[in-house]
Amino acid sequence: MLGDVFINYRRQTDSGVAGRAYDNLNRALPDASIFMDVDKLNPGDDFEVALARSLASCKIMLAIVGPQWAALTDEQGQVRLESPDDFVRKEIRTALQAGVRVIPVLVNGASMPKKSALPPDLQDLAKRQAMEVRHERFNDDMAAIASAIAKPAARRPRLWLLHGLVAMIALGIGGTTVALWPRPSPLPSPIEPAAIEAKGCKEGFVWRPAIFGDSVCVSPADYSEVQAQNANARNNRSPTGGPYGDSTCRDGYVWREAFESDLVCVTPFERDKARKQNADNAYNRI
């Protein structure tokens, strides 16, 4: 099971590419939860506490870096990144301090800022390996990022263990090295996926898993997309509620309506696709 992924971005300049990245990763990594916009809090909420809570389960932060990322100013002409209260700075600082794996993502032709151009609490970011997302190769570049997220970070060698091994060899007791060196733990057994139902569907079609027992016949690709939508449902709801209480969707999202009272929040395109699946069901069944 992948850990959660937090997308950090500058709304004034990079919200568009961040939103595209969010949608892309939700499709590419259905086992991960993708988070954005932690600063949408209820009145009276403590930002630092809410941020720490959101990052507690995150394994990776994608820091979206656009051309104006380090130089953007506020209404008073102050560079936003120089303010300790800047949301972008707070989120990255908290992630670095918490030991979260932070990946700078360069967009729209941006270059990685030099260490000297960053505030002291963000200078460690300059040492992180960056990845690039180009408009003309967006899907390919996002596929590379999804692969990097799915691949565990390289672990640094434990220096005390290496030093101990050298000392043992120097003392002529290398014969005990095998016994003292920690053996790798066996990999956990893979979890068997749930059986895919296809009874009554034409060859090449399976039941759509919008709800348990949903017998609308769709393609395997649509099956996987609906599973991802269900897994990510909570992230697409408004964190502050709204006219429909906890069922209120975030801006830009709507109820899927694959069946009566289906309140899973998806993009309008995905809702229209669910409606078409319902309409095509009669043709996809035996």
Side-chain angles (χ1 to χ4, degrees), residues 4-6 58-62 100-103 148-150:
D4 297 336
V5 180
F6 190 102
C58 286
K59 302 299 183 184
I60 293 177
M61 170 182 279
L62 300 181
V100 173
R101 181 182 170 199
V102 181
I103 302 176
I149 290 173

Side-chain angles (χ1 to χ4, degrees), residues 126-183:
K127 298 186 294 183
R128 307 298 174 101
Q129 180 64 41
M131 301 188 73
E132 185 178 10
V133 172
R134 296 154 291 184
H135 176 73
E136 63 275 12
R137 289 180 51 84
F138 187 87
N139 289 333
D140 290 341
D141 290 340
M142 285 305 305
I145 289 177
S147 177
I149 290 173
K151 181 180 179 180
R155 299 182 63 182
R156 296 180 179 179
R158 298 181 179 180
L159 295 181
W160 63 267
L161 193 58
L162 295 179
H163 292 165
L165 178 62
V166 171
M168 286 189 293
I169 294 174
L171 291 172
I173 55 174
T176 63
T177 300
V178 174
L180 295 176
W181 191 270
R183 298 183 179 182

Side-chain angles (χ1 to χ4, degrees), residues 12 31 58 91 106 123 165 185 206-207 217 270 281:
Q12 294 87 338
D31 290 335
C58 286
E91 290 174 0
L106 309 179
Q123 290 185 351
L165 178 62
S185 301
V206 298
W207 287 358
C217 296
E270 290 170 329
N281 186 44

Side-chain angles (χ1 to χ4, degrees), residues 34-129:
I34 317 298
F35 291 92
M36 292 174 64
D37 298 333
V38 73
D39 56 304
K40 290 183 178 178
L41 305 177
N42 293 316
D45 283 352
D46 187 305
F47 176 85
E48 302 287 356
V49 173
L51 178 59
R53 184 170 59 244
S54 297
L55 287 172
S57 62
C58 286
K59 302 299 183 184
I60 293 177
M61 170 182 279
L62 300 181
I64 306 294
V65 177
Q68 304 178 52
W69 184 80
L72 190 69
T73 58
D74 58 20
E75 295 80 2
Q76 289 73 41
Q78 180 186 8
V79 175
R80 290 184 179 274
L81 207 59
E82 292 180 356
S83 170
D85 294 325
D86 177 59
F87 282 124
V88 168
R89 179 174 173 178
K90 276 187 175 184
E91 290 174 0
I92 297 176
R93 177 179 66 223
T94 302
L96 291 173
Q97 292 174 347
V100 173
R101 181 182 170 199
V102 181
I103 302 176
V105 178
L106 309 179
V107 302
N108 298 325
S111 299
M112 190 64 199
K114 295 181 179 180
K115 180 179 179 180
S116 58
L118 299 174
D121 52 3
L122 297 191
Q123 290 185 351
D124 188 52
L125 185 67
K127 298 186 294 183
R128 307 298 174 101
Q129 180 64 41

